[in-house]
Amino acid sequence: MNGKKIAVIGSGGWGCAVAVMLCSNGNDVTLWSWKEEERSAIEKNGENKEFLPGVKISGKIHLTCDISCVCDKDLIVLAVPSRAVRSTAKAMADYVKKGTPLVILSKGLEDKTLKTMSEIAEEEIKNCIPVALSGPSHAEEVARKVPTAIVAACKVSDTAKFVQEIFMCEYFRVYTNDDILGVELGGALKNVIALCAGITDGIGFGDNTKAALMTRGIKEIARLGTKMGANESTFYGLAGIGDLIVTCTSMHSRNRRAGILIGEGKTLKQALDEVHMVVEGVYSSHAAYELSKKMNVEMPIIHKAYEVLFENLPPKDAVISLMKRDKKDEIV
Ligand SMILES: NC(=O)C1=CN([C@@H]2O[C@H](COP(=O)(O)OP(=O)(O)OC[C@H]3O[C@@H](n4cnc5c(N)ncnc54)[C@H](O)[C@@H]3O)[C@@H](O)[C@H]2O)C=CC1
Ligand SMILES: O=C(CO)COP(=O)(O)O
């Protein structure tokens, strides 16, 4: 399916990569930037040199900073950092046509409310149908047309299928899923585990440590998710273990790269400044820590991540204290 009018809201790395793909799939794409400097730099350079250098933004893509651009679209894609989702959704709310699919690319949880991105969107934009598009998909690789598979999750199955039709192409395979809560929790929480994986790499621990973190990490995520009502199988799919694998192992991952710097001894601020792009796991670790307490779910890795990031626990001590926890049965 092509020839649709689509607004991509957010012109960072992922917004740009998705806008380019949707345009080359034959759609009429408008790309919205938060700041005029970002819009004009993209216009001048034909690329976003700051967030996705080397990827040509086609001249067919309309560039704007006017949020009312969403008003006549068949589909809206939201690609701002999670901390900007509420303000951006609020700003566009009056312009969204009733029943418009809103594809959410942002991966995170709201700090104070502990809400998912689709819950925020539903609160702020009464008329939209939220779809979470999530899975192992680094912008740098999608922009190079590297074969990628991902999940479109929506409570309305026809809308998930519509999104699948629009995004699918020979290098981008989309599966549908009705478990939007599980897909969003998987996407937000794997970032915290990826930070931890980076930390163990930065300390100089090995592949054994990382494999253990990934395996026990997805277990923690699934334990919380199922208690909140998500399907366990979602966490063993693309938006769960799939995204966890890519984020814990890829040098494209900003979360992993920030973790490596922290494991090497840098402060959180130094790590965030050096990575420069959005490192969602930092914010999600706080929300995940609060959620685990609220839901009374044991999440030892998430707790240690929080203590390292916000309570100055030395990274090596965090790993050792995880190793020295009480003896357990694996299945529990
Ligand atoms: N980059 C990737 O490969 C992927 C990113 N994502 C998710 O997509 C979301 C966006 O990430 P990226 O595009 O990578 O970001 P980025 O780090 O490449 O760029 C940040 C973007 O956010 C904008 N921004 C900053 N503050 C803002 C505000 N208050 N309001 C609106 N916009 C603001 C900046 O102008 C810039 O366009 C994140 O939640 C991320 O987890 C998901 C999958 C892949
Ligand atoms: O979610 C992502 C890939 O699927 C992006 O991960 P990072 O934010 O760690 O780069």
Side-chain angles (χ1 to χ4, degrees):
M1 192 190 299
N2 54 28
K4 297 290 175 197
K5 291 174 91 172
I6 300 176
V8 177
I9 303 300
S11 58
W14 197 207
C16 285
V18 165
V20 167
M21 182 179 75
L22 291 171
C23 177
S24 74
N25 284 0
N27 298 289
D28 180 9
V29 177
T30 300
L31 180 60
W32 174 90
S33 298
W34 175 52
K35 285 195 166 164
E36 172 53 27
E37 301 95 89
E38 192 163 292
R39 192 208 64 78
S40 56
I42 295 172
E43 186 175 64
K44 175 167 158 262
N45 301 317
E47 64 182 283
N48 187 335
K49 281 183 184 285
E50 192 176 358
F51 293 112
L52 195 63
V55 175
K56 186 176 169 0
I57 309 284
S58 160
K60 289 187 197 157
I61 296 177
H62 315 286
L63 303 174
T64 186
C65 284
D66 181 355
I67 199 73
S68 72
C69 69
V70 297
C71 72
D72 59 348
K73 300 298 183 273
D74 302 305
L75 181 89
I76 302 168
V77 179
L78 187 56
V80 297
S82 64
R83 289 201 299 179
V85 162
R86 188 176 288 281
S87 57
T88 311
K90 217 186 261 284
M92 72 168 80
D94 286 347
Y95 304 104
V96 177
K97 264 188 313 192
K98 190 169 165 41
T100 308
L102 177 77
V103 178
I104 302 171
L105 306 183
S106 322
K107 294 177 179 172
L109 294 166
E110 193 170 45
D111 215 21
K112 290 204 177 71
T113 64
L114 312 181
K115 289 190 171 154
T116 63
M117 299 298 108
S118 70
E119 286 168 344
I120 297 172
E122 267 176 333
E123 258 174 38
E124 297 296 339
I125 311 173
K126 302 286 179 267
N127 289 333
C128 72
I129 306 177
V131 181
L133 190 72
S134 188
S137 51
H138 279 120
E140 294 82 352
E141 295 198 350
V142 172
R144 283 197 297 117
K145 306 192 174 178
V146 168
T148 298
I150 200 164
V151 180
C154 182
K155 291 176 197 158
V156 184
S157 116
D158 282 352
T159 306
K161 286 186 190 145
F162 176 71
V163 169
Q164 180 181 46
E165 280 286 331
I166 286 188
F167 278 78
M168 282 269 280
C169 60
E170 62 181 16
Y171 62 91
F172 203 77
R173 179 165 178 78
V174 183
Y175 291 85
T176 57
N177 187 332
D178 61 6
D179 181 20
I180 188 164
L181 175 64
V183 164
E184 288 193 287
L185 287 174
L189 299 178
K190 61 84 190 175
N191 283 334
V192 187
I193 306 298
L195 260 169
C196 298
I199 288 174
T200 66
D201 285 335
I203 293 173
F205 289 146
D207 299 336
N208 294 353
T209 323
K210 190 148 57 183
L213 256 179
M214 289 162 70
T215 315
R216 295 308 302 172
I218 197 69
K219 186 89 190 164
E220 278 186 26
I221 295 172
R223 203 185 289 137
L224 176 72
T226 49
K227 186 130 188 214
M228 290 174 70
N231 299 334
E232 188 168 15
S233 59
T234 301
F235 300 106
Y236 302 107
L238 288 164
I241 190 76
D243 211 357
L244 184 80
I245 291 170
V246 87
T247 322
C248 289
T249 58
S250 171
M251 270 318 277
H252 292 307
S253 167
R254 290 81 52 92
N255 287 286
R256 175 167 178 248
R257 279 190 276 134
I260 291 173
L261 296 169
I262 293 167
E264 287 171 349
K266 301 242 165 82
T267 63
L268 175 58
K269 180 170 183 324
Q270 285 167 337
L272 293 181
D273 287 347
E274 192 167 327
V275 172
H276 178 60
M277 299 176 195
V278 65
V279 180
E280 293 281 17
V282 171
Y283 317 109
S284 296
S285 69
H286 180 250
Y289 174 81
E290 294 298 336
L291 261 181
S292 82
K293 288 196 292 181
K294 181 177 162 197
M295 300 301 296
N296 196 22
V297 173
E298 199 181 7
M299 301 185 81
I301 302 172
I302 296 283
H303 278 233
K304 287 297 160 204
Y306 175 83
E307 289 171 33
V308 169
L309 294 172
F310 299 111
E311 294 181 345
N312 296 320
L313 175 66
K316 203 165 181 175
D317 293 358
V319 179
I320 302 301
S321 75
L322 284 169
M323 295 301 291
K324 286 166 63 178
R325 293 174 66 243
D326 287 350
K327 301 185 188 79
K328 302 262 179 203
D329 189 294
E330 186 185 21
I331 303 306
V332 184

